[in-house]
Amino acid sequence: MTGRSQRERFAVIRKKNRRLMSITILLALIGIPPVSAIDFLTGPAGPASFRILLLGLSQALLLAVIGSLRYLHPRSYTRYATGLFVAVLLTILLPQIPDIIVTDPSRFLLFAATFLGCVFFLNLNSLRTAVMLYATVLLVSIVPFLIFKPLPLTTVIPTLVGIALIGVVRQRHQDKNIETSLELRRRKIDLHRHTLLYEQAVAATEESEARYETVIDSMAEGVIVLSSDGVMIACNRSAAEILNVHPENIVGSQVADLNLQLCRENGEPFPADELPSTFVQKQVQPVNDVVIGIDVDNSQKKWLRVNARPLFRRGSSIPYAATVTFADITEYKAQADTIRHQAFHDTLTGLANRALLKETLDLELAHASREKSILAVLFMDLDGFKNVNDSLGHSIGDALLVEVARRLRHCLRRSDTLARAGGDEFIAVLPKINSPFDARSVADKVLAELEKPYAVGSDVLSISASIGIAIFPDNGTDGDSLLRNADAAMYAVKKAGRRGIRFFGPEMNENARVRLGLLNNLRQAIQSDDLRLVFQPRLDLHTGRIDSAEALLRWNTKDGPVSPEVFIPLAEEGGLIHALGDGVLHKALSAQRQWSADNHDITVAVNLSPRQFAVPDLVERIETATHRLGVAPERLEIEITEGVMIQNVESVRRTMYALKELGLTIALDDFGTGYSSLAYLKHFPIDILKIDRAFVCEIPENTQDVAILSAIIGVARALGIRTIAEGVETQEQADFMKQVGCDAIQGYWFARPLDSQSLLDFIHRHDVRAGRPTSSHIAF
Ligand SMILES: Nc1nc2c(ncn2[C@@H]2O[C@H](COP(=O)(O)OP(=O)(O)OP(=O)(O)O)[C@@H](O)[C@H]2O)c(=O)[nH]1
Ligand SMILES: [Mg+2]
């Protein structure tokens, strides 16, 4: 700082000296040599006059040299040169002084004046003062010269011209000085103004800096400025807080010094040369919304959303620094992760859901087709899970599903994907298997694992599963077809009796296609009322009368009749069962009204599937239907299977009692084929037990069946429950039933199912055969 101002001062002095030097040389040339020349021209010619001339010239030369020296170095050379000049002058003059004083005192004065003028010249800074002094001295020296040695006026002219020139110079300098001083004053004002403006600008900058600092410090986002060599040169309060580092430890350090473990969203370490602050300076473009995880002190993981901008100096396109701003999005990310997790995971088991499975399967398939590897899709469905829900409650069902998920996960590799597709369906994707046998052994393992007992409270539960397998690329090259085919294979297991494993085969697709076609036809048949109701009469063995008829649904398609055993489950799967059930009820009640109108007060029996029975407004529906069709509820019988009763026991009981209160009769169908728990008979308000045809068909030969039938009938009778034997096809069977005390029989021996009108005719014929007046006759 100090060295520079000295140089500047010298530059100013040099500039001034350049002007002084020019004036000095001019004055030396116009002042001294002319006087010497006059002397030379007017004096007597000879060596002395030459000496004087040379002296004048040497004076001029010396002055020029001194001026130059002074120009070269403003201070020391000036003094040195002045001394030199005085020494030289004295050396030349001193020997002559006595002679000159005696012979020519005016010349001595002239020399003395010249000398003094030079001395003044060289040591005065003001040009004006120097010129005036020199002019005065020159005039003073000329006057005695003129007095002592009068000369013709012409000889004085050059001197006068010199003086006049000096005057002109002086005048010009004066003018210039005025101009200069005006200019100076203007500059001074300008300077003053600039100083003021500068001071204002400095104050404004400081104020704005303070304001910015306050604003930046109050920002929730962290801000750090990094120099091009990666040093953090500024930071705000939030940056320190977010990074949990003291601001003093940030400023002046490199990012690496802060010892933050940086990672990407997928958990991989974040390479230092890809950090936004580095990237932004290398690529000279902003970086937006990069999510970076930091492990602050290895204890707390924070997630930051980072933006970075390069900073440029004015006019430069190379960044000298970068600002990095970052927001703590830990909470937001946790919420977003939760939402994402919920969107792609099953809440109960935490497994992937169908959507995520599809995404993962597509990725795995792309991989597998690139690598030409084999992939398997396992479609698993628990067998009879509905029963668990129904008998033990939904929460036990849930707990079982969670445990199943845990066991499945345990059977699979980390690279396998496991998803819950809904209900009790699970899907596993096994990439990179060596052969379909691998898939088979995984399925075997899964089956064995799932069949191990489950502890549910104090009870132990066991369950099996049906597993279908589809292999990429043999059974499909896209996710949808593989899933569909694995599902078809699983369905084939179910159809074959459940609990097992099957690989997909092309015929399964055919089955699925046929079933889909059948379902569509069934939908249309329901809409166009193409299904027919037939009635199978029952014979009361005590009275020999027809007291009731079971309504049975028939569906004839253009390809022939379809068994209810096929289309009823299909309607349940396809969500058509309620429409179908409503139609059956309506038709059955209409038929009953017709029979009643014919004075045959026969009860009509309608089957209800477990799904139909579970409809919450079942009682209201039935009440409304009976009311609308004008049928006494006592003339309606509901046939249910044991499957209904193992559903939510309490609600089933409530529904049954409500139906009974309405006046309905409740029959338990297919007794003996399922759980056949006699406890049902105690707990539920059952009026009729229908003994399954399986116990009847080998009667009377099969002694075991004889024993069972006798026992069932005996118990039922003891409980006050009527019994009806189904599938009675022979006289022996009918006789046997009568013999063991069965209340009624139903079967081909007595009557096949008939339509409503044919049933009426049948009743008439039956009454006539029995020698009884028919109801219509009685009416007469
Ligand atoms: N506890 C529980 N049950 C569920 C859940 N989701 C669906 N379910 C029930 O799971 C059962 C699955 O039905 P299915 O697989 O058709 O019935 P299933 O008794 O297992 O019969 P099959 O599979 O044919 O052997 C249905 O009764 C659903 O109501 C759930 O989240 N929790
Ligand atoms: Mg199931």
Side-chain angles (χ1 to χ4, degrees):
M1 190 74 186
T2 40
R4 192 191 294 168
S5 60
Q6 186 124 322
R7 267 204 305 281
E8 280 167 4
R9 265 207 319 275
F10 280 178
V12 173
I13 292 170
R14 257 194 220 119
K15 200 171 168 193
K16 214 184 225 176
N17 286 351
R18 198 163 49 220
R19 268 192 286 156
L20 274 172
M21 183 192 76
S22 318
I23 299 296
T24 307
I25 293 168
L26 179 70
L27 287 175
L29 288 172
I30 64 173
I32 302 162
V35 173
S36 304
I38 291 162
D39 195 26
F40 174 72
L41 290 171
T42 54
S49 298
F50 267 115
R51 246 191 358 258
I52 289 165
L53 181 64
L54 286 174
L55 196 62
L57 286 171
S58 66
Q59 281 172 355
L61 196 65
L62 270 168
L63 284 168
V65 169
I66 289 162
S68 310
L69 285 171
R70 187 174 165 132
Y71 169 67
L72 287 174
H73 200 287
R75 267 198 187 155
S76 51
Y77 280 106
T78 312
R79 285 195 199 115
Y80 171 75
T82 309
L84 185 71
F85 173 71
V86 172
V88 169
L89 210 59
L90 288 176
T91 313
I92 298 167
L93 286 176
L94 273 179
Q96 297 183 36
I97 285 172
D99 184 32
I100 292 170
I101 292 172
V102 175
T103 57
D104 201 346
S106 63
R107 195 181 300 266
F108 169 72
L109 286 173
L110 182 64
F111 282 130
T114 309
F115 167 69
L116 284 171
C118 291
V119 171
F120 270 119
F121 238 148
L122 294 165
N123 285 297
L124 290 171
N125 280 336
S126 162
L127 179 68
R128 197 170 6 150
T129 320
V131 170
M132 277 166 66
L133 274 170
Y134 184 69
T136 313
V137 171
L138 204 62
L139 279 172
V140 168
S141 66
I142 285 172
V143 173
F145 178 79
L146 290 173
I147 294 167
F148 290 112
K149 192 178 179 183
L151 291 169
L153 199 61
T154 49
T155 59
V156 189
I157 287 170
T159 303
L160 291 176
V161 169
I163 292 165
L165 278 173
I166 287 166
V168 170
V169 167
R170 187 178 162 224
Q171 187 55 45
R172 282 197 57 192
H173 269 278
Q174 251 177 355
D175 293 349
K176 231 177 179 175
N177 279 349
I178 290 165
E179 271 172 37
T180 312
S181 69
L182 281 174
E183 178 65 19
L184 271 176
R185 200 170 299 161
R186 256 201 313 276
R187 284 196 188 168
K188 222 170 164 183
I189 291 166
D190 274 357
L191 186 66
H192 193 61
R193 202 156 50 89
H194 281 126
T195 309
L196 268 175
L197 286 174
Y198 173 74
E199 279 169 4
Q200 276 173 3
V202 167
T205 309
E206 279 172 359
E207 211 174 280
S208 121
E209 262 180 22
R211 201 165 45 236
Y212 272 109
E213 217 162 89
T214 314
V215 170
I216 286 178
D217 251 357
S218 59
M219 277 169 66
E221 277 199 325
V223 181
I224 287 183
V225 182
L226 291 104
S227 68
S228 53
D229 47 4
V231 176
M232 295 180 279
I233 50 181
C235 77
N236 72 346
R237 195 176 40 76
S238 294
E241 274 173 20
I242 292 170
L243 301 179
N244 202 20
V245 181
H246 197 278
E248 280 175 12
N249 293 342
I250 295 181
V251 176
S253 321
Q254 301 259 354
V255 175
D257 300 337
L258 298 183
N259 203 24
L260 304 165
Q261 309 292 321
L262 305 176
C263 67
R264 292 185 192 279
E265 265 191 289
N266 60 8
E268 285 172 9
F270 212 111
D273 58 343
E274 285 180 32
L275 280 174
S277 54
T278 318
F279 184 86
V280 89
Q281 299 201 50
K282 269 199 222 154
Q283 301 295 319
V284 198
Q285 54 182 334
V287 172
N288 293 321
D289 296 335
V290 178
V291 175
I292 301 180
I294 54 166
D295 264 339
V296 179
D297 297 335
N298 283 332
S299 58
Q300 181 196 359
K301 173 95 145 203
K302 281 189 181 176
W303 289 97
L304 310 181
R305 171 163 291 132
V306 183
N307 290 291
R309 297 270 176 287
L311 289 178
F312 303 96
R313 290 213 165 84
R314 189 178 290 179
S316 166
S317 58
I318 299 164
Y320 73 95
T323 46
V324 178
T325 56
F326 47 93
D328 185 350
I329 56 160
T330 313
E331 242 175 68
Y332 163 80
K333 191 170 184 302
Q335 283 169 0
D337 286 352
T338 309
I339 291 167
R340 194 187 138 74
H341 191 271
Q342 281 169 355
F344 288 103
H345 291 83
D346 165 41
T347 37
L348 179 66
T349 59
L351 296 180
N353 63 11
R354 204 175 251 275
L356 183 55
L357 173 88
K358 269 289 282 150
E359 245 179 49
T360 316
L361 181 57
D362 287 347
L363 285 176
E364 292 290 3
L365 284 173
H367 223 240
S369 75
R370 260 201 315 277
E371 292 185 347
K372 307 234 171 308
S373 59
I374 303 175
L375 174 150
V377 174
L378 265 58
F379 204 111
M380 302 164 275
D381 188 295
L382 303 182
D383 298 330
F385 178 68
K386 225 180 309 173
N387 294 340
V388 176
N389 263 347
D390 294 342
S391 54
L392 302 169
H394 218 260
S395 53
I396 298 288
D398 282 357
L400 185 73
L401 290 174
V402 172
E403 176 58 14
V404 164
R406 195 192 64 77
R407 291 188 191 183
L408 289 174
R409 187 73 268 171
H410 186 69
C411 295
L412 304 174
R413 300 169 299 181
R414 280 180 72 82
S415 54
D416 298 338
T417 303
L418 178 63
R420 182 177 170 222
D424 60 348
E425 286 176 356
F426 294 86
I427 297 171
V429 175
L430 319 179
K432 289 187 198 149
I433 53 170
N434 294 323
S435 75
F437 295 115
D438 285 355
R440 171 78 207 201
S441 55
V442 172
D444 282 333
K445 195 171 152 195
V446 163
L447 211 53
E449 195 64 30
L450 294 185
E451 284 178 350
K452 286 181 183 166
Y454 299 80
V456 178
S458 55
D459 290 336
V460 173
L461 225 155
S462 60
I463 200 157
S464 63
S466 303
I467 305 177
I469 305 173
I471 300 289
F472 167 86
D474 300 354
N475 307 142
T477 49
D478 63 284
D480 281 340
S481 48
L482 280 168
L483 287 172
R484 200 174 48 243
N485 292 343
D487 189 7
M490 186 279 293
Y491 183 77
V493 179
K494 292 270 184 205
K495 229 177 150 208
R498 296 179 167 73
R499 197 208 166 270
I501 299 163
R502 279 211 184 175
F503 279 93
F504 171 76
E507 77 288 350
M508 293 173 186
N509 254 347
E510 184 54 22
N511 290 346
R513 203 183 54 74
V514 168
R515 284 171 58 75
L516 198 66
L518 206 59
L519 187 65
N520 282 336
N521 292 345
L522 180 61
R523 187 173 290 115
Q524 271 171 14
I526 293 170
Q527 276 167 7
S528 51
D529 200 18
D530 281 351
L531 282 99
R532 209 162 50 86
L533 212 55
V534 289
F535 304 89
Q536 188 167 33
R538 294 169 185 161
L539 180 68
D540 185 323
L541 292 175
H542 303 298
T543 62
R545 299 179 72 107
I546 297 167
D547 64 343
S548 59
E550 181 182 359
L552 298 165
L553 200 53
R554 293 285 180 263
W555 181 27
N556 281 313
T557 65
K558 62 178 180 342
D559 301 323
V562 182
S563 159
E565 283 175 12
V566 172
F567 72 80
I568 295 288
L570 196 64
E572 290 210 320
E573 278 171 34
L576 301 175
I577 194 67
H578 297 304
L580 202 62
D582 286 349
V584 168
L585 186 65
H586 186 270
K587 282 196 178 105
L589 291 175
S590 303
Q592 205 288 329
R593 195 176 55 181
Q594 189 193 357
W595 306 330
S596 292
D598 203 35
N599 282 326
H600 291 290
D601 229 4
I602 297 169
T603 301
V604 68
V606 172
N607 289 279
L608 283 191
S609 77
R611 232 170 259 203
Q612 284 174 287
F613 199 84
V615 174
D617 59 349
L618 178 72
V619 181
E620 290 79 38
R621 277 176 178 226
I622 290 176
E623 192 175 9
T624 313
T626 50
H627 196 258
R628 199 174 55 234
L629 289 161
V631 173
E634 290 75 19
R635 291 289 148 254
L636 178 62
E637 180 186 310
I638 294 296
E639 288 195 12
I640 54 172
T641 55
E642 285 166 335
V644 169
M645 286 178 291
I646 53 172
Q647 292 185 40
N648 192 339
V649 175
E650 265 320 300
S651 95
V652 169
R653 259 165 69 93
R654 271 201 304 277
T655 309
M656 279 189 173
Y657 277 108
L659 291 173
K660 283 221 28 98
E661 210 167 295
L662 204 63
L664 266 67
T665 307
I666 297 175
L668 182 57
D669 204 2
D670 301 338
F671 190 80
T673 52
Y675 298 87
S676 302
S677 168
L678 291 174
Y680 295 141
L681 307 180
K682 199 174 122 192
H683 284 115
F684 297 94
I686 291 162
D687 302 299
I688 296 169
L689 207 60
K690 291 188 76 181
I691 302 163
D692 193 76
R693 68 184 65 234
F695 294 101
V696 178
C697 60
E698 290 179 23
I699 293 289
E701 299 84 23
N702 191 323
T703 50
Q704 278 179 338
D705 285 350
V706 167
I708 292 171
L709 264 177
S710 310
I712 292 174
I713 293 166
V715 171
R717 193 191 285 155
L719 292 170
I721 296 171
R722 266 169 66 81
T723 45
I724 299 177
E726 288 185 284
V728 174
E729 294 184 350
T730 64
Q731 178 78 51
E732 287 94 335
Q733 288 167 353
D735 293 341
F736 175 81
M737 292 304 164
K738 190 164 184 179
Q739 195 188 322
V740 292
C742 184
D743 297 305
I745 55 167
Q746 175 182 339
Y748 285 1
W749 174 76
F750 178 58
R752 289 179 172 259
L754 304 160
D755 63 39
S756 179
Q757 185 53 52
S758 306
L759 178 70
L760 270 184
D761 298 341
F762 181 83
I763 295 168
H764 285 201
R765 282 201 304 276
H766 177 71
D767 283 349
V768 168
R769 243 195 338 262
R772 268 193 304 267
T774 63
S775 303
S776 45
H777 296 152
I778 291 165
F780 283 106

